[in-house]
Amino acid sequence: VRREEFGRTLGGLFTSALTSFVAVPSDAEWSLVWKMLGSDLVAPYDGDDKTSWKLEKHPSEGFEGFDKMFLTMETEVKGGDTKVSIAKMTARGLVRVDVLNATRAVHHHYDFKKDGHKRTYTMHIGSTEEKLEEAPAASHRSGGRWARVWLTRDFDGHFIPYNEIKSLTLIALLRMGLAKSLRDHAYKEFIGMPLYEDMAPWNIVMTGKTFGYIDYDTKDKTFDAFIPHAYQILSVLMNYKRTVKDFDHCGDKASTAYGFGLVSDCVGSKFKGPCDDPARPV
């Protein structure tokens, strides 16, 4: 792996979570390796001092804290930037990485190309150590700080807060593969959910054993009371269209975002659409 690719791999890893725990060579191990390579950064080998080759004699002064510094200086994000805080957890190289501030280019969902999605976003992470009586919107407690996570949609700057971060999207779980028992459990949870407008698998998240809905634009309205009438509503529109047509008032078909019929029949106009508001599609 080339150095720049390694740094981007670290950046992608760290900005996929507010906190990461990473096992890296300890500063003592870095120091000993460089001594073995004869580096000027470490005191040269002294034939009379066999103890200088023992790990407990390291790190040398120039390598103290190098395990943390190594991660900090290498970390970068493709299409963004990041600032992290790194704390040593053990003497043998386990460190905790907390994201303080970051921007990162992201796509719509896991393996988005399979679904033809082209919409892009910028993910933002910001943090503060202020003592706040009430957590700001889309904020989460992390490493003694309040961390705020949100997206901006690139084509219009629309703000989308990350209210749920301790979860995985259903599309990611299904595409990474689930054992049959877990898949059966996931399906049972899914069909037990309220009915929302956009229940595509990238808008469903699994937190522990339960499912939730995260589409920010449509999460406040459910349609359980309307769906049992769907067939009758289609029947109403079909028969209504027939009578309008007999009056010679059925015009062209209007354009809708998903190309639905009946609701768009007879109501075409010079406006070619489609309308963006699903509550007023034509």
Side-chain angles (χ1 to χ4, degrees):
V1 178
R2 294 197 302 269
R3 178 171 178 172
E4 59 271 20
E5 292 175 346
F6 176 68
R8 288 171 184 169
T9 300
L10 287 178
L13 169 68
F14 295 157
T15 55
S16 66
L18 290 179
T19 300
S20 303
F21 294 92
V22 185
V24 296
S26 67
D27 49 6
E29 290 167 330
W30 280 109
S31 177
L32 182 56
V33 167
W34 279 88
K35 181 177 180 63
M36 292 171 63
L37 294 174
S39 170
D40 293 338
L41 298 175
V42 184
Y45 171 61
D46 182 350
D48 296 329
D49 185 11
K50 301 291 191 298
T51 62
S52 65
W53 294 95
K54 293 184 178 181
L55 187 62
E56 55 266 28
K57 293 293 185 178
H58 293 266
S60 61
E61 184 177 348
F63 278 85
E64 290 180 357
F66 186 79
D67 45 1
K68 296 192 297 180
M69 182 179 69
F70 167 71
L71 292 177
T72 304
M73 68 184 184
E74 290 293 335
T75 301
E76 61 177 284
V77 178
K78 185 177 180 180
D81 57 75
T82 184
K83 180 181 179 182
V84 298
S85 169
I86 300 178
K88 185 181 294 189
M89 304 297 294
T90 67
R92 296 306 297 268
L94 182 66
V95 298
R96 171 177 174 150
V97 183
D98 289 291
V99 178
L100 302 181
N101 292 284
T103 59
R104 175 182 173 184
V106 295
H107 289 274
H108 188 270
H109 61 268
Y110 179 76
D111 222 356
F112 63 95
K113 291 181 180 179
K114 286 186 177 180
D115 305 293
H117 271 268
K118 298 180 180 179
R119 189 175 292 175
T120 59
Y121 305 79
T122 300
M123 184 181 72
H124 307 264
I125 301 174
S127 65
T128 178
E129 295 185 21
E130 294 181 39
K131 294 182 179 180
L132 305 173
E133 294 183 3
E134 185 175 343
S139 291
H140 310 273
R141 202 71 176 149
S142 175
R145 304 176 180 85
W146 284 111
R148 190 166 180 240
V149 187
W150 73 98
L151 297 179
T152 50
R153 200 160 53 198
D154 288 342
F155 82 91
D156 63 358
H158 184 63
F159 171 81
I160 305 171
Y162 261 49
N163 292 315
E164 300 287 343
I165 60 171
K166 298 178 181 178
S167 55
L168 286 171
T169 60
L170 179 57
I171 188 68
L173 288 169
L174 293 174
R175 285 184 172 167
M176 288 189 289
L178 288 175
K180 185 179 184 304
S181 59
L182 294 176
R183 195 180 183 92
D184 291 343
H185 170 77
Y187 182 68
K188 183 178 179 181
E189 287 292 322
F190 173 70
I191 62 175
M193 293 178 65
L195 295 172
Y196 295 93
E197 182 179 338
D198 190 357
M199 296 184 74
W202 43 81
N203 288 328
I204 311 296
V205 294
M206 192 171 192
T207 305
K209 294 183 178 181
T210 61
F211 273 13
Y213 181 78
I214 60 170
D215 185 61
Y216 186 68
D217 295 328
T218 61
K219 65 182 178 62
D220 295 325
K221 184 181 290 186
T222 58
F223 293 85
D224 299 72
F226 303 101
I227 295 302
H229 306 290
Y231 182 89
Q232 291 171 295
I233 292 170
L234 293 173
S235 179
V236 168
L237 292 172
M238 181 186 70
N239 292 309
Y240 196 83
K241 173 190 172 182
R242 164 59 201 265
T243 305
V244 170
K245 195 171 183 179
D246 283 351
F247 274 112
D248 292 326
H249 278 276
C250 185
D252 295 332
K253 187 181 182 75
S255 173
T256 62
Y258 296 115
F260 294 146
L262 292 178
V263 70
S264 58
D265 289 344
C266 304
V267 293
S269 67
K270 292 181 179 179
F271 175 69
K272 298 304 179 183
C275 297
D276 294 328
D277 185 355
R280 297 177 177 82
V282 295

